[in-house]
Amino acid sequence: MAGTEVMRDLQSAATSHRGDRIFNRTITALAFTALAVLAGITVFLGAQAVPVFQTLGISYLTTTAWDLTTTPPQAGIFGMLYGSVLLSVIGLVIAIPAALLLAIFMVFLAPPALAKVLTNVVDLMAAIPSVIIGLWAFYILNPVAEEWEILLNQYLGFIPIFQNNSGNFLGTPFIAGFVLAIMMIPIITAVSREVLARTPPELINASESLGGSLWTMLRYVALPYGRGGIVGGIMLGLGRALGETIAIFFVLKIVFDTNWYQIIESGGGSVASLIVSKFGEASAGLEIQLLLAAGFFLFVLTLIVNVIANLIVSRTGRLQR
Amino acid sequence: MSTAEFEKSIEGLEVELSDSRAGLPIEMDARDISVWFGKRKVLEGVSIPFPKKTVTALIGPSGCGKSTFIRTLNRLHELIPGAALAGEVLYEGKDIYSPDVDPTHIRLKIGMVFQKPNPFPSMTIRGNVLSGLKLSGMKRPNHDDIVEETLRAAGLWNEVKDRLNAAAGELSGGQQQRLVIARALAVQPHVLLMDEPCSALDPASTLKIEETIRELSKEITIIIVTHNMQQAVRVSDYTAFFLAAENEPGYVVEQGPTTDIFGNPRDQRTLDYVNGRFG
Ligand SMILES: Nc1ncnc2c1ncn2[C@@H]1O[C@H](COP(=O)(O)OP(=O)(O)OP(=O)(O)O)[C@@H](O)[C@H]1O
Ligand SMILES: [Mg+2]
C-alpha cells in the first residue's frame, strides 16, 4: 500500500544508550566551546581592524609602509603579508621533498632499528622551541647559509631570483625560508611516515606482482593512496610556518619595501615578525591597533591558504585513468 | 644392472607412465623447492611440473605452505624479510632464480591474483587495467584495445563498459576480483598464479571466475590454490596435494591428473582429505 508506511526514527534509537547520550553531549559541548573561542578571537581581532580601516582605508593592505610620525600616519602591511607567503613557499619547496624522502626512507628502505631511531629523532626535532631554532640559525646557520647564497649568486645569478645588488647576504628570505623548512620538516615527515606506513600491504603486493619497482609503486600507488594525509601534514607544517614569529625575527631583516622575488637579497617581510618587532616599542593606541589588525589579516591569510590547499587537493584528487 | 638399480629405473618409469604430464610441453617446472622463514623450514622438496596451457590446482589443509609455494614461482617470496629458498624453478628453460634473471621480467611473465581483491583505489577501472604497464614501464600501444580485450577475457567487459572511468572501489567484490584478473592479463603473462581467488566471493561470482579460468587456460598456464574441492575438480587438469605435520615443513603427498587425485588416489591421506575427512 503506497503512502502508508511510517518512517521509523533510527538515528535516535542508535544513540539511546544513556552513557552514549552523555558522552555525545559532552563532546558536542566541547566542540562548540572550541568554535566559540575561535570566533571570539576572530571578533576581537576584527574589531581592532575596523578603526584601522576607517583611518587608513584599503591602503593598509595594499601598500608597504610603517611611519607613524607623520599625520596622517602611514602604515601598510602588503609587503609583510606577501613576505609571509614568500617565506612559506621557500620553506615548502625545501621541506616537502626533504620530508617525503625522509619518510620514504624510514618506511620502505631503512632497517627497522634505524627507522625507529630516526622516528624518535624526528619527533624530538618537532618539539624544539622555535626560539632555540632561531638562536641556532642566528649563530650557526647564518654564516653557512651565507656561503651557499654567495655560491648560488655566483653560478645561478643570471636567474632573477638569485640576484643580489647589495652584496649583503644576511637577513634574506632564503635564510628565513630555510629556517621555516627546518621547522616544517619534522611535522611533514612524521605525518607522511604514518601515512605511508599504512599503505595496505595487498596494494604493495599487487604492485610488486605487476613488475613495479619501489619508485613506480610510490608514484602510482602509495603516494596517491596517502595523498590526503600527506597534504594534511603539509598544511600542519604550513600553519606553523605562517605563524612563525621568533625564529624569523632572528634571521630576517624586516624592510618596509616589498621584496618580490630576490630571495638571497637582504631584507623581506613577515607579518608575525613585524608584530613581535614592533610590539615592544608600541605605545599609542593606534600602533597597537595596527598590530592587532595585522594579526587579524595574518589569520585571514592562513584561512585563505587553507582553502586554496583544499581546492588543490580536491582537484588533484581525480582518479588516475 | 644390479637389482637396486633395476628397481630404481622401474620406479622412475612407473612415475612417468602413471602421470600423463610426462609427454606434454612444460611451461614451468618447480624442482625440489624447500623454503625457510628465518630458521623455520616450511616447505620441503616440492617438485611439480606445470604443462603449458593447463590448470593445476594446489590443495591441502591450512598452513601447509601452498601460498608460500605459489609465491616462490614469481619471486614474490624473496621480498619477505628472512625468506630463504633451495631448489630451482625452471621457466623458459632457465632457473628464474639464477643471478642474471631480472625479477621484474619474471613477475610480468608470471602474473598473480591474490585472495583478497586488491584493485588500486586511487585509479579508475580503466586505470587499474593499465596499471601494470605504468608500474613496470612496459610499452604497449592501443590502450583502449587492451582495456576491452582484457576485461572481456576476465568476463567483466559487459558490466563495466559504460563506466570505465568510475572508481574501481565502486565495483562489487566479485567484479573487483575479475578486474584484477584483467589487470594481470594486461601485461601479457604466460602464467597466472591464483591464491584462493574465490574465497572471498559469493557462489555466482565464483562460477564466473571459474568460467574465466577455463577460458584463459586455452591461452595461458594457470596455477590455482583452492580450499574448495568442487572448484578444483571443475577447473583443474592436474592437482597437487600438500600436507604438513604440526611444526613440520609441508610437502607434496600426491600429484597427478585431477581425475586420479579425486577419483582414485593412491595415498590414504589424499583420499581422506578430498573426501573432507580432515583438514
Ligand atoms: N611471512 C611469514 N613469516 C613467517 N612465517 C610465515 C610467513 N608466511 C607464512 N609463514 C608460515 O609458513 C607456513 C605456510 O604458510 P602458508 O601461508 O604458505 O600456508 P597456506 O597453505 O597458504 O595456508 P592457508 O590455506 O591457510 O592459506 C605457515 O606455518 C606459516 O605460519
Ligand atoms: Mg594461503
Side-chain angles (χ1 to χ4, degrees), chain A residues 52 56-63 66 75-78 290-291 293-294 297:
Chain A
V52 168
L56 298 171
I58 190 76
S59 75
Y60 183 63
L61 286 181
T62 55
T63 62
W66 202 269
I77 57 164
F78 175 78
L290 284 170
L291 292 173
F297 289 112

Side-chain angles (χ1 to χ4, degrees), chain A residues 16-238:
Chain A
S16 65
H17 190 275
R18 183 151 168 275
D20 279 355
R21 265 202 318 272
I22 295 173
F23 182 73
N24 284 352
R25 284 189 193 150
T26 316
I27 292 287
T28 313
L30 284 174
F32 272 101
T33 313
L35 271 182
V37 169
L38 195 64
I41 294 174
T42 315
V43 169
F44 168 71
L45 290 175
Q48 306 299 315
V50 172
V52 168
F53 257 91
Q54 277 165 352
T55 328
L56 298 171
I58 190 76
S59 75
Y60 183 63
L61 286 181
T62 55
T63 62
T64 309
W66 202 269
D67 188 353
L68 309 183
T69 54
T70 60
T71 33
Q74 288 192 320
I77 57 164
F78 175 78
M80 300 299 121
L81 287 168
Y82 178 78
S84 284
V85 174
L86 180 66
L87 300 190
S88 299
V89 169
I90 296 169
L92 285 176
V93 166
I94 299 168
I96 293 176
L100 282 181
L101 286 177
L102 197 54
I104 288 167
F105 177 74
M106 286 155 81
V107 175
F108 295 106
L109 293 170
L114 178 58
K116 211 166 182 175
V117 172
L118 279 176
T119 304
N120 288 324
V121 169
V122 167
D123 288 350
L124 275 178
M125 268 179 68
I128 300 178
S130 45
V131 64
I132 306 290
I133 292 185
L135 282 169
W136 167 82
F138 186 79
Y139 288 110
I140 316 275
L141 176 68
N142 258 344
V144 181
E146 191 180 14
E147 299 292 324
W148 301 343
E149 289 177 324
I150 289 168
L151 284 178
L152 278 174
N153 180 246
Q154 230 167 41
Y155 292 102
L156 299 171
F158 59 90
I159 306 172
I161 61 167
F162 295 125
Q163 278 166 4
N164 178 302
N165 308 325
S166 68
N168 180 1
F169 288 91
L170 286 176
T172 64
F174 173 80
I175 296 182
F178 191 87
V179 169
L180 290 184
I182 301 274
M183 307 179 75
M184 288 192 276
I185 286 172
I187 301 174
I188 303 177
T189 305
V191 176
S192 306
R193 185 187 60 80
E194 281 292 321
V195 170
L196 288 177
R198 276 173 180 42
T199 314
E202 62 266 22
L203 296 187
I204 297 177
N205 269 327
S207 173
E208 284 162 347
S209 75
L210 290 163
S213 63
L214 174 63
W215 296 113
T216 55
M217 189 279 286
L218 284 166
R219 172 155 173 224
Y220 297 113
V221 181
L223 290 174
Y225 183 85
R227 196 193 66 250
I230 291 171
V231 172
I234 291 172
M235 293 315 297
L236 268 182
L238 187 56

Side-chain angles (χ1 to χ4, degrees), chain B residues 4-20:
Chain B
E5 272 176 328
F6 178 73
E7 269 177 12
K8 204 159 184 215
S9 68
I10 293 270
E11 205 175 82
L13 201 63
E14 216 174 48
V15 167
E16 284 197 356
L17 286 178
S18 74
D19 194 331
S20 59

